[in-house]
Amino acid sequence: MNYKISSLPLALLVVALPPLASAQQQDFSKVEIKVSKVSGNIYMLEGQGGNIGASVGEDGIVIVDDEFAPLAEKIQAALKNLNITDKPVRFVINTHYHGDHTGGNPPFASSGSTVIAQDNVRKRLMSGGVAGNGGSIKMDVKPAEKAALPIITFEHDVTVHLNGEDIRALHFPAGHTDGDAIIFFPKNNVVHMGDDFVRYGFPFIDVASGGSVEGMTEGLEKAIAQLPADVKVIPGHGALSNLDDVRAYIKMLKETTEAVQKAIVAHKTLDQMKQEKILAPWAKWSGDFVNADTFIETLYNSLTGHPGQFVKHN
Ligand SMILES: [Zn+2]
């Protein structure tokens, strides 16, 4: 990791920390789970790590992503405190394999939940490897324990019929990773976009795990084409959003991709692109996790098909 968690003030920590940090690096004792009603019987839970979407109703509970293992009890308590159902979390759907979205799989599985994910989520959890942007964002991922593995996987899509809704997980290849799913709650008009759409500024695109900026852009465009104008959007990280927020993000992805593509065609090196600050017009997207320089690396590696020397193929 290129950012130093320990040296950051607390306020910054919240913004800077989550997307790739592993459970061992963090203290979860003070984390509180904030629950907000999104629409109908769909809730959003925020603690540490990726946002959780939850369908809570008479048939029980389905959650999308499960943050980190040490938070599982708090997440379960928060869901129970809604006083809607005594039934358990029956299904967990993972949007992708990163530990801040799947870390809770073992405790949820051991308390009876069935974990569902795209085929590549299981493969990458099993094998471990390296996550990163092919440049300065890099993290070794250890093979996950058996209890963390999704026991139902799908190639293209899967539907969970519960609480009167057809909850559909649809795979979009090569976006944030190569195992992304976007989860649709059509009756309640809500969508959980995983880390294909985030609110922390320039996104982390895990090119080392099969992600690509073009895939992310294309996937989001396909997803929003199927969504009603007033759909509520749960991002992978950050505040509840709407389609205008997603459109602004897609526009930034396209424009920054074009800027880096132009520089590649002009035979500029990665260092020259950084020195010339070619992403300066999009400076407001520069964040603590992914700043303009790391996003140039991301786009460069994604567009040139060079996910970095550390890449491990599987
Ligand atoms: Zn992620």
Side-chain angles (χ1 to χ4, degrees):
M1 308 302 295
N2 66 334
Y3 53 98
K4 301 280 186 300
I5 289 159
S6 54
S7 62
L8 289 170
L10 198 67
L12 248 180
L13 202 69
V14 179
V15 184
L17 189 139
L20 260 183
S22 70
Q24 292 75 25
Q25 292 169 289
Q26 304 182 41
D27 173 18
F28 295 98
S29 61
K30 303 221 165 49
V31 176
E32 285 173 29
I33 307 295
K34 181 185 152 204
V35 183
S36 344
K37 183 167 174 152
V38 178
S39 164
N41 65 309
I42 307 298
Y43 295 81
M44 173 167 143
L45 282 70
E46 297 162 90
Q48 190 123 286
N51 288 327
I52 295 174
S55 163
V56 186
E58 57 179 8
D59 300 332
I61 300 172
V62 182
I63 60 173
V64 176
D65 288 344
D66 54 23
E67 300 194 339
F68 295 100
L71 297 173
E73 271 180 42
K74 288 183 190 179
I75 293 164
Q76 274 162 332
L79 290 165
K80 203 173 168 120
N81 281 343
L82 289 169
N83 282 320
I84 294 169
T85 179
D86 278 335
K87 294 192 175 133
V89 174
R90 293 176 62 180
F91 298 97
V92 175
I93 306 172
N94 295 146
T95 58
H96 63 291
Y97 87 98
H98 289 152
D100 55 331
H101 299 256
T102 60
N105 283 3
F108 276 100
S110 71
S111 56
S113 311
T114 299
V115 180
I116 304 172
Q118 206 275 337
D119 297 338
N120 291 334
V121 173
R122 185 178 159 95
K123 278 185 200 156
R124 289 199 181 274
L125 283 171
M126 272 177 99
S127 67
V130 175
N133 73 342
S136 48
I137 300 177
K138 183 188 175 189
M139 186 183 185
D140 291 314
V141 181
K142 292 195 187 80
E145 57 184 299
K146 188 170 168 244
L149 303 178
I151 64 164
I152 295 178
T153 65
F154 60 92
E155 184 183 355
H156 180 260
D157 68 298
V158 70
T159 307
V160 177
H161 305 271
L162 220 73
N163 297 331
E165 184 152 45
D166 303 325
I167 303 164
R168 182 161 178 247
L170 181 58
H171 174 50
F172 289 91
H176 174 63
T177 69
D178 62 4
D180 300 352
I182 287 179
I183 319 301
F184 300 81
F185 300 91
K187 191 185 78 175
N188 285 292
N189 199 16
V190 178
V191 64
H192 189 313
M193 292 194 158
D195 282 0
D196 283 313
F197 172 64
V198 294
R199 302 301 305 271
Y200 55 71
F202 290 132
F204 167 49
I205 299 173
D206 188 351
V207 291
S209 303
S212 95
V213 66
E214 288 155 308
M216 181 182 268
T217 306
E218 199 178 305
L220 285 169
E221 287 193 310
K222 277 190 186 152
I224 67 171
Q226 342 182 350
L227 289 164
D230 58 349
V231 68
K232 294 196 167 67
V233 180
I234 300 176
H237 296 267
L240 189 67
S241 305
N242 60 38
L243 278 197
D244 284 341
D245 300 319
V246 181
R247 285 193 197 98
Y249 175 89
I250 294 173
K251 184 167 177 278
M252 175 277 292
L253 288 179
K254 286 182 160 177
E255 290 172 352
T256 52
T257 298
E258 201 187 316
V260 171
Q261 186 63 54
K262 257 191 204 159
I264 292 169
V265 171
H267 302 291
K268 288 191 178 153
T269 66
L270 195 47
D271 282 342
Q272 282 172 324
M273 295 180 204
K274 289 181 185 175
Q275 271 157 22
E276 291 172 18
K277 299 192 186 310
I278 64 168
L279 296 190
W282 300 275
K284 69 165 187 175
W285 295 86
S286 186
D288 296 304
F289 179 39
V290 181
N291 62 28
D293 281 354
T294 23
F295 199 50
I296 291 173
E297 291 172 3
T298 305
L299 295 173
Y300 180 88
N301 289 326
S302 178
L303 293 168
T304 55
H306 291 129
Q309 296 184 341
F310 57 78
V311 70
K312 181 182 166 185
H313 294 282
N314 55 358

